[in-house]
Amino acid sequence: MVKIRKFFIDLYVRQGVTYRTFYSRALKSLSAVEINSKIVTQSVNKVVEAYSRVYDVLKEHREQVIEAFTRKSSFDTGAAIILLERCELRRFRGDKAITPDYPDIEEYDCIATCANAFDVFSQPIAGQDLIDFRDGTLTKPLSARNMARAVFLLSVLEKLRYLPRNWKSSAVANQMLVSAKSGKTPALNYLYTSADRNNAEQYLADNTSSKFFSRESFYEKIARAIQSIVLRRK
């Protein structure tokens, strides 16, 4: 998105091409991507998902894209993330917003018990805490003993559709996740980097193979534990 914004300034603003021509050329120019040959399927799926996400926003949310690209003199990764997630939340059916069909509180309670067993947070949490975190209404932030592990847990919940895709920006905006050591909310870029480093989707897709896992077994164990909760509830 940051690179596409440069195409926007050059093609749409300076050269005056149509909006569709601008994003078509931009996406075509950025279509060459290096992937990890050791995990081809996962890499390709991730690239396709990312490009599909950007394409949908450029195509369906022209006004929001133009406003975001012209509002500031600079457009960084943080601004791109906010643009994507705001557009993705603007999904309407008729006059009403589509509300995700989330699981009931009993499932969140089970997951909270699992998180407590792994000491993810400095204080025990309840299912309602996760629901409030999901909805952006949590008043007492989750205090992470180890931020990377907390991000992984929350990323697993996102992949299993217990949290929305925009939970990271919501957590930062509403200061709902803090470090137990510093008491501070991590930067949005850190949350994305941490989630990429310990890819929850990868663990959930193949949590029997050690080749994808770091030397710490925490990620493997908690991914398995949460998956078993979900399968039991079904």
Side-chain angles (χ1 to χ4, degrees):
M1 289 298 290
V2 174
K3 291 180 180 178
I4 285 172
R5 196 254 185 177
K6 295 177 181 177
F7 282 93
F8 174 84
I9 298 298
D10 182 44
L11 297 175
Y12 186 79
V13 176
R14 294 174 182 162
Q15 297 185 35
V17 304
T18 65
Y19 180 81
R20 182 173 181 177
T21 299
F22 135 67
Y23 74 72
S24 296
R25 288 188 188 176
L27 289 173
K28 185 176 180 180
S29 297
L30 299 173
S31 61
V33 179
E34 292 185 5
I35 63 173
N36 189 335
S37 59
K38 295 180 180 179
I39 47 172
V40 173
T41 301
Q42 293 92 329
S43 297
V44 170
N45 288 343
K46 188 171 183 179
V47 170
V48 170
E49 179 184 4
Y51 269 76
S52 297
R53 185 183 181 193
V54 171
Y55 173 78
D56 288 342
V57 168
L58 291 173
K59 181 181 178 183
E60 303 296 336
H61 300 276
R62 172 176 172 166
E63 291 183 6
Q64 288 76 25
V65 171
I66 292 176
E67 179 187 2
F69 281 174
T70 57
R71 185 173 60 242
K72 298 179 179 179
S73 58
S74 63
F75 185 81
D76 58 13
T77 302
I81 290 169
I82 291 171
L83 170 62
L84 286 169
E85 293 182 342
R86 281 181 178 173
C87 288
E88 287 166 346
L89 288 175
R90 296 172 61 91
R91 296 175 182 172
F92 293 89
R93 182 181 294 153
D95 295 327
K96 297 181 179 179
I98 299 173
T99 302
D101 185 19
Y102 288 117
D104 57 31
I105 191 171
E106 285 80 8
E107 294 192 39
Y108 285 96
D109 281 334
C110 290
I111 292 170
T113 300
C114 179
N116 295 335
F118 280 91
D119 287 326
V120 176
F121 303 105
S122 58
Q123 299 294 329
I125 64 169
Q128 189 60 51
D129 294 320
L130 291 174
I131 291 174
D132 291 342
F133 183 90
R134 177 196 74 191
D135 297 337
T137 58
L138 187 67
T139 55
K140 183 179 180 180
L142 301 179
S143 178
R145 294 180 183 275
N146 180 305
M147 189 58 68
R149 293 184 173 190
V151 171
F152 180 78
L153 167 67
L154 297 170
S155 297
V156 167
L157 298 185
E158 174 199 341
K159 299 303 179 183
L160 295 174
R161 293 183 170 81
Y162 286 85
L163 293 179
R165 290 181 65 172
N166 73 322
W167 71 263
K168 299 178 188 70
S169 59
S170 177
V172 172
N174 298 304
Q175 297 184 323
M176 297 187 299
L177 181 65
V178 299
S179 166
K181 293 181 180 179
S182 67
K184 296 181 179 180
T185 299
L188 188 58
N189 283 348
Y190 170 84
L191 295 183
Y192 275 89
T193 301
S194 180
D196 284 341
R197 184 181 301 116
N198 299 301
N199 192 303
E201 187 172 19
Q202 197 165 282
Y203 280 83
L204 291 169
D206 186 2
N207 63 11
T208 61
S209 174
S210 60
K211 66 182 178 180
F212 294 139
F213 301 146
S214 63
R215 280 177 282 185
E216 287 187 280
S217 61
F218 168 88
Y219 304 103
E220 178 182 4
K221 288 180 178 179
I222 199 166
R224 235 178 236 161
I226 294 176
Q227 251 186 340
S228 67
I229 290 171
V230 174
L231 292 174
R232 273 202 314 271
R233 303 298 297 185
K234 289 181 178 179

